[in-house]
Amino acid sequence: MIWNTIYGRQELVQTLQGAIEAEQIAHAYLFYGPVGIGKKTIAQVLATALNCTGAARNGCGTCESCRKAQNGTHPDLHWLRPEGKSLKIEQIRQLKKNAYLKPREGNYQIFILEQADALTAEAANSLLKVLEEPPRGSLFILLAEHPSMLPATVVSRCQLFVVPRLNQANIARLLQQYDLPAAEVAEIADWAEGIPGRALAMSNQTTWRTQYTAAIDTLAALAAAGTVSQLAAKLEKLEELTTFLDAMTLVLREVLLWQTVGVLAKQEQQQQISQLAETWSVHACIAALDEMLLLQQSLQSPVNKRLALEKMLRSLKEVRNIDANSSRNSF
């Protein structure tokens, strides 16, 4: 059963399975939650189950239709991804042309819009028209991190599902396939904050340790003069920028924990964290974490990545320097 690939969301799974069994399928769904929460997995499973031709017709995972959907070769399953930073009007126009065609093999033509909150205003308005009068045999699945960035009229035409974070037990279950030591599993489960994509990224310890070390170096480098532009240019080129920003957030959290309660999740990094704590105060860490959140949100919309990174780094440098200077002047 392909539904088994969705970890720890039993209530959501039961609701979707029940709708399929009762033949009460909505014409549009909107799944939302942070990056890495599992929205694409849920969309893939739902789309596969809707066109399943197995005996139960509920996502057997072994029939030809299920295999095609899982391999990305099903002619009635369409994924739309942003071109650059946005989903554009031309993409929605093509979607609408395809949506009015009959399914070639399955029960439905299914259109999955990744990062639907990156729709341009023009594209969102065009999509609204097809959601208001959906063609028979076509179904739409929207995935978003920030549904508030979508027009309310588009959201109102969809059946909404928030994708919940996993508890630590389910994160640990997800990591069983990697045969990691129990201590590492517990550490990752704590750091992942219920986000399975983040946990899987951390399971590659070589990559994660590299990113974590780079995050420490970046925060330390902000003490030097004239480094912001160079750092922004370097970060802009990172293929795994999201993972790096997660690592940077966790380093700041570690510094904050060291400042407030004197403990660390990663004891082997104590020297580096304690050194950062000498120049990053509690106030600076909290302000920096706020800036990190703003950056991660802004990167989900059409923005100049280099400028967004530079703005974040300048803000971090500023809050760090203000607190560092205040500490020196207090003596």
Side-chain angles (χ1 to χ4, degrees):
M1 280 287 285
I2 58 173
W3 295 97
N4 293 335
T5 61
I6 301 176
Y7 289 85
R9 278 69 180 257
Q10 289 85 352
E11 186 175 341
L12 175 58
V13 166
Q14 289 169 4
T15 299
L16 295 175
Q17 287 179 322
I20 293 173
E21 291 167 2
E23 297 185 352
Q24 295 179 341
I25 309 300
H27 70 277
Y29 294 87
L30 171 56
F31 296 99
Y32 64 94
V35 172
I37 199 67
K39 300 184 292 293
K40 287 190 285 188
T41 298
I42 292 169
Q44 175 81 50
V45 169
L46 176 59
T48 302
L50 285 168
N51 280 331
C52 176
T53 57
R57 292 186 175 273
N58 193 10
C60 66
T62 57
C63 69
E64 184 178 5
S65 178
C66 282
R67 292 199 303 271
K68 284 184 176 181
Q70 291 173 306
N71 293 333
T73 59
H74 200 294
D76 297 320
L77 179 54
H78 313 274
W79 290 81
L80 276 77
R81 299 175 176 88
E83 292 181 354
K85 283 291 183 180
S86 61
L87 285 164
K88 298 177 172 57
I89 181 64
E90 293 79 10
Q91 293 176 273
I92 301 304
R93 285 173 178 159
Q94 186 59 52
L95 175 154
K96 290 165 73 174
K97 288 180 182 178
N98 293 331
Y100 285 97
L101 300 175
K102 292 182 179 180
R104 292 170 60 182
E105 294 183 9
N107 301 313
Y108 301 93
Q109 279 213 94
I110 301 172
F111 301 87
I112 302 174
L113 283 72
E114 291 187 34
Q115 297 179 40
D117 42 0
L119 282 160
T120 65
E122 189 179 21
N125 288 332
S126 182
L127 177 65
L128 176 61
K129 294 177 182 177
V130 75
L131 293 182
E132 288 176 331
E133 297 181 14
R136 184 182 179 86
S138 287
L139 186 145
F140 307 90
I141 302 175
L142 281 63
L143 312 179
E145 183 178 5
H146 306 292
S148 60
M149 295 176 64
L150 283 163
T153 47
V154 169
V155 174
S156 68
R157 298 302 190 279
C158 302
Q159 191 169 113
L160 270 64
F161 289 94
V162 60
V163 182
R165 294 175 185 253
L166 295 179
N167 59 31
Q168 291 198 353
N170 278 306
I171 289 287
R173 177 179 162 228
L174 178 66
L175 295 171
Q176 284 178 352
Q177 58 188 303
Y178 297 102
D179 195 27
L180 298 171
E184 281 192 13
V185 170
E187 180 182 88
I188 292 171
D190 178 47
W191 277 17
E193 298 180 328
I195 300 176
R198 185 182 292 175
L200 292 174
M202 291 178 180
S203 68
N204 184 332
Q205 288 294 298
T206 301
T207 298
W208 178 247
R209 290 182 191 280
T210 299
Q211 298 283 28
Y212 189 87
T213 300
I216 290 175
D217 293 342
T218 299
L219 289 169
L222 287 173
T227 58
V228 169
S229 295
Q230 297 95 314
L231 284 173
K234 182 179 178 180
L235 297 185
E236 182 189 16
K237 298 175 183 177
L238 290 178
E239 292 184 5
E240 298 179 340
L241 180 59
T242 298
T243 303
F244 173 80
L245 294 177
D246 284 341
M248 200 163 172
T249 299
L250 291 172
V251 169
L252 284 166
R253 194 182 80 170
E254 287 284 272
V255 175
L256 187 59
L257 283 171
W258 182 254
Q259 289 276 29
T260 53
V261 294
V263 297
L264 293 176
K266 294 180 74 64
Q267 291 298 321
E268 65 269 28
Q269 303 292 345
Q270 180 173 329
Q271 182 178 353
Q272 295 96 318
I273 295 298
S274 62
Q275 287 175 347
L276 281 177
E278 292 176 4
T279 55
W280 284 86
S281 69
V282 171
H283 174 268
C285 287
I286 293 172
L289 286 167
D290 287 340
E291 291 294 335
M292 294 295 300
L293 178 61
L294 289 173
L295 172 67
Q296 289 171 311
Q297 290 175 343
S298 69
L299 289 177
Q300 300 307 309
S301 57
V303 295
N304 184 306
K305 186 189 296 185
R306 169 70 177 276
L307 291 179
L309 286 166
E310 189 164 332
K311 179 179 181 296
M312 180 271 293
L313 290 170
R314 288 193 187 282
S315 296
L316 263 59
K317 187 179 182 74
E318 183 177 325
V319 296
R320 177 207 168 277
N321 288 345
I322 287 173
D323 271 42
N325 290 334
S326 297
S327 297
R328 284 195 294 269
N329 293 334
S330 65
F331 290 100

